[in-house]
Structure formats: C-alpha cells, structure tokens
Amino acid sequence: MVVGISEGSTWRCEVLAETDGYLVQVRDLQTSRVEASDCMLFRSAVTAFAYANFLTALDQTAAARLAGEETCDLETELDERRLAFSTIADQLFDRGIDTSQIAAWDDEEPRLPRHRLH
C-alpha cells in the first residue's frame, strides 16, 4: 500500500508499507516503470520519507544541471535533505537495505559452494 509520494523532475519516489518495513521505490515519470535496482527497504516510515525526499531533491538538482539552469537554491535544498536523512537514519539506526541484497539472501540456489564440516 502506497503511504507517501515525493515527486521530482524525472521520477517519483513512492513509499510503500510492507510487512518487513517501508519500501522506497523509484518510478520513471515518462514510462511509469519502477527501477528495481533503486529500491530500498527501511524499518521506519520517517526514514523512508526522508530518503524519498532526498532522492527527489537529487533528481531536481540533476535535471536543472542538465538543462543549464542555476542550481544554487536546489543544491542548498539537496544538502539540507541529505543532512536530514543522515541525521534521522543515524538516530534511528536505520540506513535501509538495498532490496537486491534481500533477493540474493532469499535466492534458493547458492552462488558459492557450501563447505561441510565433518
């Protein structure tokens, strides 16, 4: 279930309530496709929202740079959002985990040979 959205220039960050925590996924605004490689799972909603806000500030700053626009105000906002996310994540001990790491953990076929102890 989507519990929050933060929209940037080229993508939208969606915060979803999951059984394991709060998932932040990035959706391309032109194609409506979710970038699976950019999904992060957080234990707390406040950290997930701060991360989503940080990502959208990053997106807005990058889009302005590509367009050749002045980015001083956007860079200031980006720094503020980065600091807010970092502070919240440190206080709650919640830096999140990349969902590709979870998928690798759940993978049934081991990639490395298992060692047996006799």
Side-chain angles (χ1 to χ4, degrees):
M1 168 180 27
V2 176
V3 293
I5 294 174
S6 184
E7 195 160 307
S9 298
T10 58
W11 66 63
R12 169 175 72 205
C13 293
E14 301 169 342
V15 179
L16 295 99
E18 300 283 328
T19 56
D20 296 336
Y22 295 88
L23 180 71
V24 177
Q25 66 183 15
V26 177
R27 184 176 302 275
D28 187 303
L29 290 174
Q30 289 182 338
T31 64
S32 295
R33 298 183 101 177
V34 172
E35 291 292 325
S37 62
D38 291 333
C39 294
M40 292 284 288
L41 184 67
F42 296 91
R43 291 181 314 198
S44 64
V46 68
T47 311
F49 290 129
Y51 181 71
N53 286 333
F54 163 63
L55 286 182
T56 55
L58 182 64
D59 177 44
Q60 291 169 339
T61 304
R65 284 182 186 157
L66 288 174
E69 299 172 3
E70 182 61 38
T71 60
C72 288
D73 292 338
L74 292 173
E75 288 176 3
T76 301
E77 184 177 348
L78 175 61
D79 289 340
E80 289 171 358
R81 289 185 182 186
R82 180 184 297 125
L83 179 61
F85 166 67
S86 182
T87 302
I88 291 168
D90 288 347
Q91 288 176 349
L92 298 177
F93 300 101
D94 186 11
R95 283 279 174 189
I97 185 166
D98 187 333
T99 56
S100 64
Q101 292 177 350
I102 296 171
W105 182 271
D106 291 338
D107 194 7
E108 289 183 29
E109 296 181 13
R111 296 178 186 192
L112 299 174
R114 292 185 182 216
H115 298 284
R116 289 187 177 186
L117 300 175
H118 296 279

